Amino acid sequence: FMYVKGHGVPEELCRDMLAAAERFFDSHQSLKDAVDARKSPLFRGYNSLEEGAHSCTPERQNRVGG
């Protein structure tokens, strides 16, 4: 968690982003599963509490070209 002040992003845009995040997390599980982080080679995407957290760093043996 962090708090950024004086970033210049309009308050309306911040509210819209938070509303979009709330809609996403309230959506059907199939939508969240479609963007599951485990489907991304860089582990970017949705990560459920049930499946546990990840380090955001792919293991060496799973990296493309690594």
Side-chain angles (χ1 to χ4, degrees):
F1 178 83
M2 65 185 243
Y3 179 82
V4 180
K5 184 177 177 181
H7 47 68
V9 178
E11 188 66 32
E12 181 180 8
L13 183 58
C14 292
R15 283 192 304 269
D16 291 348
M17 182 276 308
L18 290 172
E22 188 172 318
R23 285 191 306 274
F24 173 78
F25 288 111
D26 287 343
S27 67
H28 192 272
Q29 187 62 43
S30 63
L31 177 66
K32 294 179 272 193
D33 290 344
V35 293
D36 190 309
R38 294 172 296 174
K39 296 178 182 178
S40 166
L42 297 176
F43 298 101
R44 296 202 173 115
Y46 175 70
N47 190 24
S48 72
L49 292 174
E50 292 80 21
E51 296 297 324
H54 60 76
S55 68
C56 298
T57 305
E59 295 179 25
R60 185 164 242 344
Q61 67 267 22
N62 292 330
R63 288 195 313 193
V64 174

Short mmCIF file of all heavy atoms in Angstrom, two decimals:
data_model
loop_
_atom_site.label_atom_id
_atom_site.label_comp_id
_atom_site.label_asym_id
_atom_site.label_seq_id
_atom_site.Cartn_x
_atom_site.Cartn_y
_atom_site.Cartn_z
N PHE A 1 0.84 -1.17 0.00
CA PHE A 1 0.00 0.00 0.00
C PHE A 1 0.88 1.23 0.00
O PHE A 1 1.92 1.26 0.64
CB PHE A 1 -0.90 -0.01 1.23
CG PHE A 1 -1.77 1.20 1.34
CD1 PHE A 1 -2.95 1.27 0.64
CD2 PHE A 1 -1.38 2.27 2.13
CE1 PHE A 1 -3.76 2.36 0.73
CE2 PHE A 1 -2.19 3.38 2.23
CZ PHE A 1 -3.38 3.44 1.53
N MET A 2 0.45 2.24 -0.73
CA MET A 2 1.16 3.50 -0.70
C MET A 2 0.19 4.64 -0.95
O MET A 2 -0.89 4.44 -1.48
CB MET A 2 2.30 3.54 -1.70
CG MET A 2 1.88 3.48 -3.15
SD MET A 2 3.31 3.40 -4.20
CE MET A 2 3.17 4.90 -5.10
N TYR A 3 0.59 5.80 -0.57
CA TYR A 3 -0.22 7.00 -0.71
C TYR A 3 0.59 8.00 -1.51
O TYR A 3 1.71 8.32 -1.14
CB TYR A 3 -0.56 7.55 0.67
CG TYR A 3 -1.39 8.81 0.65
CD1 TYR A 3 -2.77 8.75 0.49
CD2 TYR A 3 -0.80 10.05 0.79
CE1 TYR A 3 -3.54 9.90 0.47
CE2 TYR A 3 -1.55 11.20 0.77
CZ TYR A 3 -2.92 11.12 0.62
OH TYR A 3 -3.67 12.25 0.60
N VAL A 4 0.03 8.47 -2.63
CA VAL A 4 0.73 9.44 -3.47
C VAL A 4 -0.09 10.72 -3.48
O VAL A 4 -1.28 10.70 -3.78
CB VAL A 4 0.91 8.91 -4.91
CG1 VAL A 4 1.63 9.93 -5.76
CG2 VAL A 4 1.67 7.59 -4.89
N LYS A 5 0.57 11.81 -3.18
CA LYS A 5 -0.09 13.11 -3.11
C LYS A 5 0.52 14.04 -4.15
O LYS A 5 1.73 13.98 -4.41
CB LYS A 5 0.09 13.69 -1.71
CG LYS A 5 -0.61 14.99 -1.47
CD LYS A 5 -0.43 15.43 -0.03
CE LYS A 5 -1.07 16.78 0.18
NZ LYS A 5 -0.90 17.26 1.55
N GLY A 6 -0.30 14.88 -4.77
CA GLY A 6 0.21 15.84 -5.74
C GLY A 6 0.65 15.21 -7.05
O GLY A 6 1.54 15.71 -7.72
N HIS A 7 0.03 14.08 -7.43
CA HIS A 7 0.42 13.35 -8.63
C HIS A 7 -0.12 13.96 -9.92
O HIS A 7 0.33 13.63 -11.00
CB HIS A 7 -0.03 11.89 -8.54
CG HIS A 7 -1.44 11.73 -8.08
ND1 HIS A 7 -2.52 12.12 -8.83
CD2 HIS A 7 -1.93 11.25 -6.93
CE1 HIS A 7 -3.63 11.86 -8.17
NE2 HIS A 7 -3.30 11.34 -6.99
N GLY A 8 -1.12 14.83 -9.82
CA GLY A 8 -1.66 15.49 -11.00
C GLY A 8 -2.73 14.71 -11.74
O GLY A 8 -3.27 15.19 -12.74
N VAL A 9 -3.04 13.50 -11.30
CA VAL A 9 -4.11 12.72 -11.93
C VAL A 9 -5.44 13.28 -11.42
O VAL A 9 -5.64 13.38 -10.21
CB VAL A 9 -3.99 11.22 -11.60
CG1 VAL A 9 -5.14 10.44 -12.23
CG2 VAL A 9 -2.65 10.68 -12.07
N PRO A 10 -6.33 13.65 -12.34
CA PRO A 10 -7.61 14.24 -11.92
C PRO A 10 -8.39 13.31 -10.99
O PRO A 10 -8.42 12.09 -11.17
CB PRO A 10 -8.36 14.44 -13.24
CG PRO A 10 -7.31 14.47 -14.29
CD PRO A 10 -6.22 13.57 -13.80
N GLU A 11 -9.03 13.90 -9.98
CA GLU A 11 -9.81 13.15 -9.00
C GLU A 11 -10.88 12.30 -9.67
O GLU A 11 -11.13 11.16 -9.27
CB GLU A 11 -10.44 14.12 -8.00
CG GLU A 11 -11.11 13.43 -6.83
CD GLU A 11 -10.12 12.70 -5.92
OE1 GLU A 11 -8.98 13.15 -5.79
OE2 GLU A 11 -10.52 11.67 -5.36
N GLU A 12 -11.51 12.82 -10.71
CA GLU A 12 -12.55 12.07 -11.42
C GLU A 12 -11.98 10.79 -12.03
O GLU A 12 -12.60 9.73 -11.97
CB GLU A 12 -13.19 12.93 -12.51
CG GLU A 12 -14.30 12.21 -13.26
CD GLU A 12 -14.93 13.06 -14.35
OE1 GLU A 12 -14.44 14.17 -14.64
OE2 GLU A 12 -15.94 12.59 -14.91
N LEU A 13 -10.78 10.88 -12.60
CA LEU A 13 -10.14 9.70 -13.18
C LEU A 13 -9.83 8.67 -12.10
O LEU A 13 -10.01 7.46 -12.30
CB LEU A 13 -8.88 10.09 -13.93
CG LEU A 13 -8.13 8.97 -14.64
CD1 LEU A 13 -9.01 8.26 -15.65
CD2 LEU A 13 -6.89 9.52 -15.32
N CYS A 14 -9.37 9.13 -10.95
CA CYS A 14 -9.10 8.22 -9.82
C CYS A 14 -10.38 7.52 -9.38
O CYS A 14 -10.38 6.30 -9.15
CB CYS A 14 -8.49 8.98 -8.66
SG CYS A 14 -6.82 9.60 -8.97
N ARG A 15 -11.47 8.26 -9.27
CA ARG A 15 -12.76 7.65 -8.89
C ARG A 15 -13.21 6.64 -9.93
O ARG A 15 -13.69 5.55 -9.58
CB ARG A 15 -13.83 8.73 -8.69
CG ARG A 15 -13.71 9.47 -7.38
CD ARG A 15 -14.96 10.32 -7.11
NE ARG A 15 -15.24 11.26 -8.19
CZ ARG A 15 -14.77 12.52 -8.25
NH1 ARG A 15 -14.00 12.98 -7.30
NH2 ARG A 15 -15.08 13.29 -9.27
N ASP A 16 -13.05 6.98 -11.22
CA ASP A 16 -13.45 6.06 -12.29
C ASP A 16 -12.64 4.77 -12.24
O ASP A 16 -13.16 3.67 -12.45
CB ASP A 16 -13.29 6.72 -13.66
CG ASP A 16 -14.28 7.83 -13.91
OD1 ASP A 16 -15.27 7.97 -13.13
OD2 ASP A 16 -14.08 8.58 -14.89
N MET A 17 -11.33 4.89 -11.95
CA MET A 17 -10.47 3.72 -11.88
C MET A 17 -10.89 2.82 -10.72
O MET A 17 -10.97 1.59 -10.86
CB MET A 17 -9.01 4.17 -11.71
CG MET A 17 -7.99 3.04 -11.68
SD MET A 17 -7.71 2.24 -10.07
CE MET A 17 -7.37 3.61 -8.99
N LEU A 18 -11.17 3.41 -9.57
CA LEU A 18 -11.60 2.62 -8.42
C LEU A 18 -12.94 1.96 -8.67
O LEU A 18 -13.15 0.80 -8.29
CB LEU A 18 -11.64 3.48 -7.17
CG LEU A 18 -10.27 3.92 -6.65
CD1 LEU A 18 -10.43 4.93 -5.51
CD2 LEU A 18 -9.46 2.73 -6.20
N ALA A 19 -13.84 2.65 -9.37
CA ALA A 19 -15.14 2.06 -9.71
C ALA A 19 -14.96 0.89 -10.67
O ALA A 19 -15.63 -0.14 -10.54
CB ALA A 19 -16.07 3.13 -10.31
N ALA A 20 -14.05 1.03 -11.64
CA ALA A 20 -13.79 -0.06 -12.57
C ALA A 20 -13.20 -1.27 -11.86
O ALA A 20 -13.57 -2.42 -12.14
CB ALA A 20 -12.84 0.41 -13.68
N ALA A 21 -12.30 -1.03 -10.91
CA ALA A 21 -11.72 -2.13 -10.13
C ALA A 21 -12.80 -2.83 -9.32
O ALA A 21 -12.84 -4.08 -9.27
CB ALA A 21 -10.62 -1.61 -9.22
N GLU A 22 -13.69 -2.07 -8.72
CA GLU A 22 -14.78 -2.67 -7.94
C GLU A 22 -15.69 -3.52 -8.83
O GLU A 22 -16.07 -4.62 -8.46
CB GLU A 22 -15.58 -1.58 -7.24
CG GLU A 22 -16.59 -2.13 -6.27
CD GLU A 22 -17.23 -1.03 -5.44
OE1 GLU A 22 -16.52 -0.10 -5.01
OE2 GLU A 22 -18.45 -1.12 -5.24
N ARG A 23 -16.01 -3.01 -10.03
CA ARG A 23 -16.84 -3.79 -10.96
C ARG A 23 -16.14 -5.09 -11.35
O ARG A 23 -16.76 -6.14 -11.44
CB ARG A 23 -17.17 -2.97 -12.21
CG ARG A 23 -18.21 -1.91 -11.99
CD ARG A 23 -18.71 -1.30 -13.29
NE ARG A 23 -17.65 -0.78 -14.14
CZ ARG A 23 -17.12 0.44 -14.06
NH1 ARG A 23 -17.55 1.29 -13.14
NH2 ARG A 23 -16.17 0.81 -14.89
N PHE A 24 -14.83 -5.01 -11.60
CA PHE A 24 -14.08 -6.22 -11.96
C PHE A 24 -14.14 -7.24 -10.84
O PHE A 24 -14.45 -8.41 -11.07
CB PHE A 24 -12.62 -5.88 -12.29
CG PHE A 24 -11.78 -7.11 -12.51
CD1 PHE A 24 -11.86 -7.79 -13.71
CD2 PHE A 24 -10.94 -7.59 -11.53
CE1 PHE A 24 -11.11 -8.96 -13.92
CE2 PHE A 24 -10.18 -8.73 -11.72
CZ PHE A 24 -10.26 -9.41 -12.92
N PHE A 25 -13.83 -6.85 -9.63
CA PHE A 25 -13.79 -7.80 -8.52
C PHE A 25 -15.18 -8.32 -8.15
O PHE A 25 -15.29 -9.40 -7.59
CB PHE A 25 -13.07 -7.21 -7.31
CG PHE A 25 -11.59 -7.11 -7.55
CD1 PHE A 25 -10.98 -5.88 -7.69
CD2 PHE A 25 -10.81 -8.25 -7.66
CE1 PHE A 25 -9.62 -5.79 -7.93
CE2 PHE A 25 -9.45 -8.18 -7.89
CZ PHE A 25 -8.85 -6.94 -8.02
N ASP A 26 -16.22 -7.58 -8.50
CA ASP A 26 -17.59 -8.02 -8.27
C ASP A 26 -18.12 -8.87 -9.42
O ASP A 26 -19.21 -9.43 -9.33
CB ASP A 26 -18.53 -6.83 -8.07
CG ASP A 26 -18.34 -6.15 -6.72
OD1 ASP A 26 -17.73 -6.77 -5.82
OD2 ASP A 26 -18.80 -5.00 -6.58
N SER A 27 -17.36 -8.97 -10.51
CA SER A 27 -17.83 -9.68 -11.70
C SER A 27 -17.78 -11.20 -11.49
O SER A 27 -17.21 -11.70 -10.53
CB SER A 27 -16.99 -9.29 -12.92
OG SER A 27 -15.67 -9.75 -12.78
N HIS A 28 -18.35 -11.91 -12.46
CA HIS A 28 -18.39 -13.37 -12.42
C HIS A 28 -16.97 -13.94 -12.44
O HIS A 28 -16.07 -13.39 -13.08
CB HIS A 28 -19.19 -13.90 -13.61
CG HIS A 28 -19.52 -15.34 -13.48
ND1 HIS A 28 -18.68 -16.34 -13.92
CD2 HIS A 28 -20.59 -15.96 -12.94
CE1 HIS A 28 -19.22 -17.52 -13.67
NE2 HIS A 28 -20.38 -17.32 -13.07
N GLN A 29 -16.76 -15.04 -11.75
CA GLN A 29 -15.44 -15.66 -11.65
C GLN A 29 -14.86 -16.00 -13.02
O GLN A 29 -13.65 -15.92 -13.23
CB GLN A 29 -15.49 -16.90 -10.77
CG GLN A 29 -14.13 -17.49 -10.47
CD GLN A 29 -13.23 -16.56 -9.71
OE1 GLN A 29 -13.66 -15.89 -8.77
NE2 GLN A 29 -11.97 -16.49 -10.09
N SER A 30 -15.69 -16.34 -13.99
CA SER A 30 -15.18 -16.71 -15.32
C SER A 30 -14.45 -15.55 -15.99
O SER A 30 -13.47 -15.76 -16.70
CB SER A 30 -16.31 -17.22 -16.21
OG SER A 30 -17.26 -16.20 -16.43
N LEU A 31 -14.89 -14.32 -15.74
CA LEU A 31 -14.21 -13.15 -16.29
C LEU A 31 -12.83 -13.00 -15.65
O LEU A 31 -11.83 -12.76 -16.33
CB LEU A 31 -15.03 -11.88 -16.06
CG LEU A 31 -14.38 -10.59 -16.52
CD1 LEU A 31 -14.22 -10.57 -18.03
CD2 LEU A 31 -15.20 -9.40 -16.08
N LYS A 32 -12.76 -13.18 -14.35
CA LYS A 32 -11.47 -13.08 -13.65
C LYS A 32 -10.55 -14.23 -14.05
O LYS A 32 -9.34 -14.03 -14.23
CB LYS A 32 -11.69 -13.04 -12.15
CG LYS A 32 -12.42 -11.76 -11.71
CD LYS A 32 -12.68 -11.71 -10.24
CE LYS A 32 -13.98 -12.38 -9.93
NZ LYS A 32 -14.47 -12.13 -8.58
N ASP A 33 -11.11 -15.41 -14.24
CA ASP A 33 -10.29 -16.56 -14.65
C ASP A 33 -9.69 -16.35 -16.04
O ASP A 33 -8.61 -16.85 -16.33
CB ASP A 33 -11.13 -17.84 -14.66
CG ASP A 33 -11.50 -18.31 -13.27
OD1 ASP A 33 -10.87 -17.84 -12.29
OD2 ASP A 33 -12.43 -19.13 -13.15
N ALA A 34 -10.38 -15.59 -16.89
CA ALA A 34 -9.88 -15.35 -18.25
C ALA A 34 -8.58 -14.54 -18.24
O ALA A 34 -7.81 -14.62 -19.20
CB ALA A 34 -10.95 -14.62 -19.07
N VAL A 35 -8.34 -13.79 -17.18
CA VAL A 35 -7.11 -12.99 -17.09
C VAL A 35 -6.24 -13.46 -15.93
O VAL A 35 -5.50 -12.68 -15.33
CB VAL A 35 -7.43 -11.48 -16.99
CG1 VAL A 35 -8.04 -10.97 -18.28
CG2 VAL A 35 -8.33 -11.18 -15.81
N ASP A 36 -6.30 -14.75 -15.63
CA ASP A 36 -5.52 -15.35 -14.54
C ASP A 36 -4.03 -15.11 -14.79
O ASP A 36 -3.52 -15.33 -15.89
CB ASP A 36 -5.81 -16.85 -14.50
CG ASP A 36 -5.23 -17.52 -13.28
OD1 ASP A 36 -4.03 -17.34 -12.99
OD2 ASP A 36 -5.99 -18.23 -12.59
N ALA A 37 -3.32 -14.65 -13.77
CA ALA A 37 -1.89 -14.35 -13.89
C ALA A 37 -1.07 -15.57 -14.30
O ALA A 37 -0.03 -15.42 -14.93
CB ALA A 37 -1.37 -13.78 -12.56
N ARG A 38 -1.52 -16.75 -13.95
CA ARG A 38 -0.77 -17.97 -14.31
C ARG A 38 -0.78 -18.23 -15.80
O ARG A 38 0.02 -19.01 -16.30
CB ARG A 38 -1.33 -19.16 -13.55
CG ARG A 38 -1.10 -19.04 -12.05
CD ARG A 38 -1.81 -20.11 -11.28
NE ARG A 38 -3.25 -19.92 -11.47
CZ ARG A 38 -4.17 -20.74 -11.03
NH1 ARG A 38 -3.84 -21.81 -10.36
NH2 ARG A 38 -5.45 -20.49 -11.22
N LYS A 39 -1.66 -17.57 -16.54
CA LYS A 39 -1.71 -17.72 -18.00
C LYS A 39 -0.75 -16.77 -18.70
O LYS A 39 -0.58 -16.84 -19.90
CB LYS A 39 -3.13 -17.46 -18.51
CG LYS A 39 -4.14 -18.46 -18.00
CD LYS A 39 -5.52 -18.11 -18.49
CE LYS A 39 -6.55 -19.09 -17.96
NZ LYS A 39 -7.90 -18.74 -18.39
N SER A 40 -0.14 -15.86 -17.96
CA SER A 40 0.76 -14.86 -18.52
C SER A 40 2.21 -15.28 -18.29
O SER A 40 2.57 -15.65 -17.18
CB SER A 40 0.50 -13.51 -17.85
OG SER A 40 1.55 -12.61 -18.13
N PRO A 41 3.05 -15.18 -19.32
CA PRO A 41 4.46 -15.53 -19.13
C PRO A 41 5.16 -14.60 -18.13
O PRO A 41 6.18 -14.96 -17.56
CB PRO A 41 5.07 -15.41 -20.52
CG PRO A 41 4.12 -14.56 -21.29
CD PRO A 41 2.76 -14.76 -20.68
N LEU A 42 4.60 -13.43 -17.88
CA LEU A 42 5.18 -12.49 -16.92
C LEU A 42 4.38 -12.46 -15.63
O LEU A 42 4.60 -11.60 -14.78
CB LEU A 42 5.26 -11.09 -17.54
CG LEU A 42 6.16 -10.98 -18.76
CD1 LEU A 42 6.09 -9.57 -19.35
CD2 LEU A 42 7.59 -11.34 -18.42
N PHE A 43 3.44 -13.39 -15.47
CA PHE A 43 2.61 -13.50 -14.27
C PHE A 43 1.85 -12.21 -13.98
O PHE A 43 1.75 -11.78 -12.84
CB PHE A 43 3.44 -13.93 -13.05
CG PHE A 43 4.06 -15.28 -13.24
CD1 PHE A 43 5.38 -15.40 -13.59
CD2 PHE A 43 3.31 -16.43 -13.08
CE1 PHE A 43 5.96 -16.65 -13.79
CE2 PHE A 43 3.86 -17.68 -13.27
CZ PHE A 43 5.19 -17.78 -13.63
N ARG A 44 1.33 -11.59 -15.02
CA ARG A 44 0.54 -10.37 -14.86
C ARG A 44 -0.92 -10.71 -15.10
O ARG A 44 -1.26 -11.34 -16.09
CB ARG A 44 1.01 -9.30 -15.82
CG ARG A 44 2.43 -8.90 -15.51
CD ARG A 44 2.77 -7.54 -16.04
NE ARG A 44 4.09 -7.15 -15.56
CZ ARG A 44 5.12 -6.97 -16.36
NH1 ARG A 44 5.00 -7.12 -17.65
NH2 ARG A 44 6.28 -6.63 -15.85
N GLY A 45 -1.78 -10.30 -14.20
CA GLY A 45 -3.20 -10.57 -14.34
C GLY A 45 -3.82 -10.78 -12.97
O GLY A 45 -3.27 -10.41 -11.94
N TYR A 46 -4.98 -11.41 -12.98
CA TYR A 46 -5.74 -11.64 -11.76
C TYR A 46 -5.13 -12.77 -10.95
O TYR A 46 -4.72 -13.79 -11.48
CB TYR A 46 -7.19 -11.98 -12.12
CG TYR A 46 -8.03 -12.35 -10.93
CD1 TYR A 46 -8.40 -11.40 -10.00
CD2 TYR A 46 -8.46 -13.66 -10.74
CE1 TYR A 46 -9.17 -11.73 -8.90
CE2 TYR A 46 -9.24 -14.00 -9.64
CZ TYR A 46 -9.59 -13.03 -8.73
OH TYR A 46 -10.35 -13.36 -7.64
N ASN A 47 -5.05 -12.56 -9.66
CA ASN A 47 -4.54 -13.58 -8.74
C ASN A 47 -5.52 -13.67 -7.58
O ASN A 47 -5.64 -12.74 -6.80
CB ASN A 47 -3.15 -13.18 -8.24
CG ASN A 47 -2.47 -14.28 -7.49
OD1 ASN A 47 -2.78 -15.45 -7.67
ND2 ASN A 47 -1.55 -13.92 -6.64
N SER A 48 -6.22 -14.78 -7.47
CA SER A 48 -7.25 -14.93 -6.45
C SER A 48 -6.65 -15.23 -5.09
O SER A 48 -5.54 -15.74 -4.97
CB SER A 48 -8.22 -16.05 -6.83
OG SER A 48 -7.59 -17.30 -6.68
N LEU A 49 -7.40 -14.91 -4.06
CA LEU A 49 -6.98 -15.25 -2.70
C LEU A 49 -6.92 -16.76 -2.51
O LEU A 49 -6.09 -17.28 -1.77
CB LEU A 49 -7.93 -14.63 -1.68
CG LEU A 49 -7.90 -13.11 -1.58
CD1 LEU A 49 -8.99 -12.62 -0.63
CD2 LEU A 49 -6.54 -12.64 -1.11
N GLU A 50 -7.81 -17.48 -3.18
CA GLU A 50 -7.85 -18.94 -3.04
C GLU A 50 -6.60 -19.61 -3.60
O GLU A 50 -6.14 -20.61 -3.09
CB GLU A 50 -9.09 -19.52 -3.75
CG GLU A 50 -10.39 -19.15 -3.10
CD GLU A 50 -10.87 -17.75 -3.46
OE1 GLU A 50 -10.42 -17.19 -4.49
OE2 GLU A 50 -11.66 -17.19 -2.70
N GLU A 51 -6.05 -19.04 -4.67
CA GLU A 51 -4.88 -19.64 -5.32
C GLU A 51 -3.58 -19.18 -4.70
O GLU A 51 -2.53 -19.71 -4.99
CB GLU A 51 -4.88 -19.33 -6.82
CG GLU A 51 -6.06 -19.93 -7.56
CD GLU A 51 -6.05 -21.45 -7.51
OE1 GLU A 51 -4.96 -22.06 -7.54
OE2 GLU A 51 -7.13 -22.03 -7.44
N GLY A 52 -3.62 -18.15 -3.89
CA GLY A 52 -2.41 -17.66 -3.23
C GLY A 52 -1.70 -16.60 -4.03
O GLY A 52 -2.00 -16.35 -5.19
N ALA A 53 -0.73 -15.98 -3.40
CA ALA A 53 0.02 -14.90 -4.02
C ALA A 53 1.21 -15.46 -4.80
O ALA A 53 1.61 -16.60 -4.61
CB ALA A 53 0.50 -13.93 -2.95
N HIS A 54 1.77 -14.63 -5.62
CA HIS A 54 3.00 -14.99 -6.32
C HIS A 54 3.97 -13.82 -6.18
O HIS A 54 3.60 -12.73 -5.79
CB HIS A 54 2.75 -15.35 -7.78
CG HIS A 54 2.14 -14.24 -8.58
ND1 HIS A 54 2.85 -13.16 -9.00
CD2 HIS A 54 0.87 -14.04 -8.99
CE1 HIS A 54 2.05 -12.35 -9.67
NE2 HIS A 54 0.86 -12.85 -9.67
N SER A 55 5.19 -14.05 -6.50
CA SER A 55 6.23 -13.04 -6.29
C SER A 55 6.33 -12.05 -7.43
O SER A 55 7.15 -11.14 -7.35
CB SER A 55 7.58 -13.74 -6.11
OG SER A 55 7.96 -14.33 -7.33
N CYS A 56 5.56 -12.22 -8.49
CA CYS A 56 5.64 -11.37 -9.69
C CYS A 56 6.94 -11.59 -10.45
O CYS A 56 7.26 -10.86 -11.36
CB CYS A 56 5.47 -9.89 -9.36
SG CYS A 56 3.88 -9.51 -8.64
N THR A 57 7.72 -12.56 -10.07
CA THR A 57 8.97 -12.87 -10.74
C THR A 57 8.93 -14.32 -11.19
O THR A 57 8.91 -15.22 -10.35
CB THR A 57 10.17 -12.67 -9.81
OG1 THR A 57 10.13 -11.34 -9.29
CG2 THR A 57 11.48 -12.89 -10.53
N PRO A 58 8.90 -14.54 -12.50
CA PRO A 58 8.86 -15.93 -12.97
C PRO A 58 10.10 -16.70 -12.54
O PRO A 58 11.19 -16.15 -12.46
CB PRO A 58 8.83 -15.80 -14.50
CG PRO A 58 8.58 -14.37 -14.79
CD PRO A 58 8.95 -13.58 -13.58
N GLU A 59 9.90 -17.95 -12.23
CA GLU A 59 11.05 -18.80 -11.90
C GLU A 59 11.88 -18.98 -13.16
O GLU A 59 11.37 -19.03 -14.26
CB GLU A 59 10.57 -20.15 -11.38
CG GLU A 59 9.82 -20.04 -10.07
CD GLU A 59 9.34 -21.38 -9.59
OE1 GLU A 59 9.95 -22.41 -9.98
OE2 GLU A 59 8.36 -21.41 -8.85
N ARG A 60 13.18 -19.11 -13.00
CA ARG A 60 14.08 -19.17 -14.13
C ARG A 60 13.70 -20.25 -15.14
O ARG A 60 13.72 -20.03 -16.33
CB ARG A 60 15.51 -19.40 -13.65
CG ARG A 60 16.49 -19.35 -14.82
CD ARG A 60 17.89 -19.19 -14.36
NE ARG A 60 18.69 -18.08 -14.67
CZ ARG A 60 18.57 -17.14 -15.58
NH1 ARG A 60 17.54 -17.11 -16.34
NH2 ARG A 60 19.46 -16.21 -15.76
N GLN A 61 13.34 -21.43 -14.69
CA GLN A 61 13.03 -22.51 -15.61
C GLN A 61 11.75 -22.26 -16.39
O GLN A 61 11.51 -22.89 -17.41
CB GLN A 61 12.97 -23.87 -14.90
CG GLN A 61 11.80 -24.02 -13.94
CD GLN A 61 12.17 -23.65 -12.53
OE1 GLN A 61 13.11 -22.91 -12.29
NE2 GLN A 61 11.42 -24.14 -11.56
N ASN A 62 10.91 -21.34 -15.95
CA ASN A 62 9.67 -21.06 -16.66
C ASN A 62 9.74 -19.85 -17.58
O ASN A 62 8.80 -19.54 -18.27
CB ASN A 62 8.53 -20.82 -15.64
CG ASN A 62 8.19 -22.10 -14.92
OD1 ASN A 62 8.33 -23.18 -15.45
ND2 ASN A 62 7.75 -21.96 -13.68
N ARG A 63 10.89 -19.16 -17.60
CA ARG A 63 11.00 -17.97 -18.41
C ARG A 63 11.32 -18.32 -19.84
O ARG A 63 12.09 -19.24 -20.12
CB ARG A 63 12.10 -17.05 -17.87
CG ARG A 63 11.72 -16.39 -16.60
CD ARG A 63 12.62 -15.26 -16.26
NE ARG A 63 14.04 -15.62 -16.39
CZ ARG A 63 15.02 -14.89 -15.92
NH1 ARG A 63 14.77 -13.79 -15.26
NH2 ARG A 63 16.26 -15.27 -16.06
N VAL A 64 10.76 -17.56 -20.75
CA VAL A 64 11.09 -17.73 -22.17
C VAL A 64 12.46 -17.13 -22.39
O VAL A 64 12.74 -15.99 -22.00
CB VAL A 64 10.04 -17.01 -23.05
CG1 VAL A 64 10.44 -17.07 -24.50
CG2 VAL A 64 8.67 -17.63 -22.84
N GLY A 65 13.35 -17.90 -23.00
CA GLY A 65 14.71 -17.41 -23.28
C GLY A 65 15.60 -17.33 -22.06
O GLY A 65 16.66 -16.71 -22.11
N GLY A 66 15.20 -17.94 -20.94
CA GLY A 66 15.99 -17.81 -19.72
C GLY A 66 16.53 -19.03 -19.25
O GLY A 66 17.09 -19.87 -19.08
#
